[in-house]
Amino acid sequence: MKRNVFVFVLAISLVFAFLNSTVYAANFDFQVSPSIISACPCSSITPQNVQISIKNLYQYPDTYSFVIDAPAGITPQVQQNLVVNQGDTRNLDLFLINIGCSVLPGDYNVVIKAKSGTTGETQTKTLSLSVLNCYEVQLNIESKYRDMCTEENTSSVFYLVLQNRGKYSDTYDLSASVPWASFSDNPVTIDAGKSKTVALALTPPSGTKGLQLINVYVKSQKFYSNDMDTIQLNIQDCYSMTADLQPSEVSICLGEVVNQKVTIANTGIKADNYSVIVPNWVTADKPVVSIDAKKSADVSLTLKPAQKGKTFFNVTVVSAKDPVLRAVLSASVDAQECRGVAVIATPASSYVCQGVESEFTVTVKNLGTIQDTFNVTATSGVLDFNKVVLDPKETKEFKLKILNITSPGNYSVKVKAQSDGISDDDSVIVVVDNCYSASMDISPQNISVCFGTPVSYTVAVKNTGKLSDNYTLRADSPVTNLTKQFTLGPNQVRMEYFTIQVPSEPQANDYLIKVTLQSEHTSAGSQSLLSVKPKTSCYSVQIIPKDEAKLVQICNATTLPVAIKNTGEKKDKYNLSIDGPQWAYISPNVVELSGGQQQEVYLYFSPCFGVEKKVYEMTIKASSPSAQVVKNIAVGVVENITGGGGITPPPVGNETNMIGGNITGGLILGLDTNQWKLLAIVIITLIIIIILAIRFIMLAK
């Protein structure tokens, strides 16, 4: 009995022990893999990077919830509920950790909690997150210290070297601690591992002096990366100078030169260029001089005053680096008249014919107190001397010859003597008269002729001058050339005659006959227009038959009147002929007609027995050495004439004009439409005759 009780108690204890072990064992397995991960700022961690899984160890399906605690700047997102069947394992579908762009590199812990919805059991896992230094920028400044002169009023440029030492491309903003800083490029985008140089221009406002500390900043627009460096700009006065002019007072003769010296000392700490500004009658051998710091230089001045007496003037020395820095030096020069000259030309005027030489006497006197050399010039003519050396009060005479003035009028000639700023002049008048002149006229002025015609011209030449002259008369044109020479006295007239024979075969055109009269002293000209008419206007002929088509009966003679008309302007003689069968001829075969005149001739047709009955085309021809024309007519030969005696005429325009043997118009006749009609009538007539003959034979039988 006792043994059974012990076994029962032992069994009960084992059951309770088993139940207790079931109650206090984990109901699920919560895993985060990997538990350590690294990432850059401005990036995300997803299930692709970290796997979060739940295995349900409980005897029933369960729903699990999740919570993530993360440091500032790190934003987590996680799936709220996950249902897992008994014994199954599932991964979280939604898991995201966003690392902010401003998160500094370092080690961070992200705590992930999972809680059973059935038992309330909670498990915690820690994800060790190492935020890497993926974004870094370094600022380097070349020559951080610089001296700057207040006088230069310019910008001082520094070069910044920006290096992206991170892993990704980044964009940076640049700034400075002073408002008078400007960047050549801002903002700046730099690829990972690359660098870029940016110019920084510092333009201090007026009045800024001393050591200036300027902080330069570079900062990422999106990330934490930044850097800073400092520039030292020492602004100070750099330029100063002194100047002296010796001697400050000088005396010279008017027109001569004298020298002065300007000494410039650069008392500043930098080299400078100095401009020396002087009046226009003062010349500086170095208008601009460069002088190193603490050095001096001399500038030589050459003075040549333009007016008599004492002249006060200033010499100004100006710094190129600091235009406000200048020195004004005062001086004077006393110029006295030591030289002089007088010029007299005689006679005051001269009267000559054109082309005749005139001569004048020119006297030059040195009025000064020193020996001098004078250059003598004239605006026209030739001087026998152009330069003379004269002692004080000495006089010299020159000859001035004026020639080859070909146009009438009054001419003023100035003679001048000068020497280094002093001069005198005198003028003479040359009155040139037109002693030579001529006039000329040609007649006829205009004429129109046919080829082969002679044209007579008359040229009237008159010497309208005051002196005898030798002339050459020339007539030039494409159809003539004429040259004659003769002499005419004052007001003498001469008539010249010449004839132009127009060639027999010229082109119809207008020919200009130019006549010129030329002498050594004068010339004249005139012209005439010679118009040569076209050949067709002078010579042409027309054939006008009474009928252009005619029927002729076999063994009967008949005639056809034909008018021959001279349609040209000139009288002409024509040979007449007919191109046709032997039983056709023309009479008379030669006619001579004046311009516009016409004469009637006759065509004779006498076809004998046996001549073929058909339409004959015949050509009438009228020709002369200058003109030629042909005319086509149609002659029909028939057995009997039953109608009106005529046939259909050939087409209009069958007359052909020829000039000089060349065909100029018309066409050659073939069997045109009207001729085919005539041929059809003849054939039909023959068919009727044959039919009647057959019937007559049959009736006779």
Side-chain angles (χ1 to χ4, degrees), residues 424-489:
D424 190 29
D425 59 72
D426 196 8
S427 297
V428 296
I429 303 297
V430 181
V431 180
V432 180
D433 194 8
N434 184 11
C435 299
Y436 297 94
S437 63
S439 64
M440 180 181 63
D441 292 309
I442 185 172
S443 178
Q445 290 286 325
N446 297 286
I447 189 169
S448 180
V449 298
C450 291
F451 61 90
T453 303
V455 182
S456 297
Y457 288 91
T458 301
V459 179
V461 180
K462 182 179 180 179
N463 181 352
T464 57
K466 299 178 180 180
L467 300 174
S468 295
D469 206 352
N470 298 319
Y471 301 97
T472 299
L473 177 68
R474 291 185 177 88
D476 297 316
S477 76
V479 292
T480 186
N481 285 289
L482 172 70
T483 301
K484 288 191 176 182
Q485 294 181 337
F486 49 84
T487 302
L488 294 178

Side-chain angles (χ1 to χ4, degrees), residues 227-469:
D227 200 2
M228 185 270 288
D229 206 346
T230 301
I231 293 174
Q232 295 183 355
L233 185 63
N234 188 20
I235 305 173
Q236 58 184 324
D237 293 330
C238 300
Y239 302 98
S240 63
M241 63 96 176
T242 61
D244 182 51
L245 174 63
Q246 293 297 331
S248 59
E249 296 183 357
V250 291
S251 297
I252 60 170
C253 287
L254 187 64
E256 294 183 351
V257 297
V258 66
N259 294 326
Q260 291 178 314
K261 183 177 70 174
V262 177
T263 301
I264 305 171
N266 182 354
T267 58
I269 62 174
K270 283 194 173 185
D272 199 355
N273 294 330
Y274 301 95
S275 297
V276 181
I277 303 172
V278 295
N280 57 5
W281 49 272
V282 179
T283 303
D285 66 340
K286 292 180 284 188
V288 178
V289 58
S290 179
I291 306 176
D292 292 333
K294 308 303 180 182
K295 301 291 183 179
S296 63
D298 293 334
V299 177
S300 178
L301 303 181
T302 301
L303 284 62
K304 189 176 182 180
Q307 61 184 14
K308 183 179 178 180
K310 195 169 188 178
T311 302
F312 295 91
F313 64 97
N314 292 328
V315 177
T316 304
V317 181
V318 182
S319 166
K321 299 294 185 180
D322 183 9
V324 178
L325 180 63
R326 60 181 57 204
V328 179
L329 309 175
S330 298
S332 65
V333 57
D334 188 8
Q336 299 298 324
E337 186 60 78
C338 302
R339 298 181 301 138
V341 65
V343 176
I344 300 175
T346 56
S349 62
S350 175
Y351 180 89
V352 295
C353 288
Q354 61 190 66
V356 177
E357 178 182 299
S358 55
E359 185 175 284
F360 299 86
T361 300
V362 179
T363 303
V364 178
K365 183 176 182 179
N366 183 358
L367 301 178
T369 59
I370 58 175
Q371 186 186 71
D372 211 341
T373 301
F374 300 98
N375 293 316
V376 184
T377 59
T379 57
S380 181
V382 178
L383 290 163
D384 52 1
F385 292 98
N386 295 107
K387 181 179 288 188
V388 62
V389 178
L390 298 177
D391 292 328
K393 310 306 178 182
E394 185 180 1
T395 299
K396 179 73 174 181
E397 288 188 351
F398 298 82
K399 293 297 181 181
L400 171 63
K401 295 181 179 180
I402 301 174
L403 63 161
N404 295 330
I405 301 179
T406 58
S407 300
N410 295 341
Y411 297 87
S412 177
V413 179
K414 180 184 289 187
V415 183
K416 184 176 183 179
Q418 59 182 357
S419 173
D420 295 334
I422 64 168
S423 65
D424 190 29
D425 59 72
D426 196 8
S427 297
V428 296
I429 303 297
V430 181
V431 180
V432 180
D433 194 8
N434 184 11
C435 299
Y436 297 94
S437 63
S439 64
M440 180 181 63
D441 292 309
I442 185 172
S443 178
Q445 290 286 325
N446 297 286
I447 189 169
S448 180
V449 298
C450 291
F451 61 90
T453 303
V455 182
S456 297
Y457 288 91
T458 301
V459 179
V461 180
K462 182 179 180 179
N463 181 352
T464 57
K466 299 178 180 180
L467 300 174
S468 295
D469 206 352

Side-chain angles (χ1 to χ4, degrees), residues 80-368:
Q80 295 298 314
N81 296 296
L82 179 67
V83 177
V84 184
N85 292 325
Q86 180 185 5
D88 289 347
T89 301
R90 287 189 62 187
N91 292 334
L92 281 180
D93 297 325
L94 175 62
F95 170 68
L96 177 66
I97 297 176
N98 290 322
I99 304 172
C101 298
S102 60
V103 175
L104 298 177
D107 295 329
Y108 298 88
N109 290 327
V110 178
V111 178
I112 307 171
K113 297 178 181 180
K115 183 178 181 181
S116 169
T118 301
T119 65
E121 180 184 351
T122 300
Q123 293 189 31
T124 301
K125 296 291 183 181
T126 299
L127 176 64
S128 297
L129 174 61
S130 177
V131 178
L132 303 178
N133 189 17
C134 298
Y135 300 96
E136 182 179 357
V137 64
Q138 185 177 24
L139 169 64
N140 292 316
I141 303 176
E142 299 177 358
S143 64
K144 300 179 184 179
Y145 177 86
R146 187 173 298 171
D147 291 322
M148 186 175 184
C149 298
T150 58
E151 300 90 344
E152 292 177 349
N153 194 26
T154 58
S155 298
S156 184
V157 179
F158 294 82
Y159 292 95
L160 317 179
V161 179
L162 307 177
Q163 184 178 10
N164 182 353
R165 304 181 67 178
K167 296 183 177 181
Y168 304 99
S169 177
D170 202 354
T171 300
Y172 306 98
D173 288 324
L174 299 173
S175 60
S177 59
V178 293
W180 34 273
S182 61
F183 299 90
S184 63
D185 194 6
N186 192 18
V188 182
T189 300
I190 306 175
D191 293 334
K194 302 294 183 180
S195 61
K196 189 171 185 179
T197 301
V198 177
L200 167 62
L202 298 177
T203 310
S206 178
T208 304
K209 290 186 179 182
L211 183 64
Q212 306 294 317
L213 300 179
I214 298 100
N215 294 328
V216 182
Y217 305 95
V218 55
K219 187 178 185 306
S220 171
Q221 287 187 345
K222 295 175 59 179
F223 308 110
Y224 55 84
S225 56
N226 64 84
D227 200 2
M228 185 270 288
D229 206 346
T230 301
I231 293 174
Q232 295 183 355
L233 185 63
N234 188 20
I235 305 173
Q236 58 184 324
D237 293 330
C238 300
Y239 302 98
S240 63
M241 63 96 176
T242 61
D244 182 51
L245 174 63
Q246 293 297 331
S248 59
E249 296 183 357
V250 291
S251 297
I252 60 170
C253 287
L254 187 64
E256 294 183 351
V257 297
V258 66
N259 294 326
Q260 291 178 314
K261 183 177 70 174
V262 177
T263 301
I264 305 171
N266 182 354
T267 58
I269 62 174
K270 283 194 173 185
D272 199 355
N273 294 330
Y274 301 95
S275 297
V276 181
I277 303 172
V278 295
N280 57 5
W281 49 272
V282 179
T283 303
D285 66 340
K286 292 180 284 188
V288 178
V289 58
S290 179
I291 306 176
D292 292 333
K294 308 303 180 182
K295 301 291 183 179
S296 63
D298 293 334
V299 177
S300 178
L301 303 181
T302 301
L303 284 62
K304 189 176 182 180
Q307 61 184 14
K308 183 179 178 180
K310 195 169 188 178
T311 302
F312 295 91
F313 64 97
N314 292 328
V315 177
T316 304
V317 181
V318 182
S319 166
K321 299 294 185 180
D322 183 9
V324 178
L325 180 63
R326 60 181 57 204
V328 179
L329 309 175
S330 298
S332 65
V333 57
D334 188 8
Q336 299 298 324
E337 186 60 78
C338 302
R339 298 181 301 138
V341 65
V343 176
I344 300 175
T346 56
S349 62
S350 175
Y351 180 89
V352 295
C353 288
Q354 61 190 66
V356 177
E357 178 182 299
S358 55
E359 185 175 284
F360 299 86
T361 300
V362 179
T363 303
V364 178
K365 183 176 182 179
N366 183 358
L367 301 178

Side-chain angles (χ1 to χ4, degrees), residues 637-656:
V637 178
V638 296
E639 186 73 31
N640 293 300
I641 299 177
T642 58
I647 62 173
T648 303
V652 177
N654 62 342
E655 180 180 285
T656 303

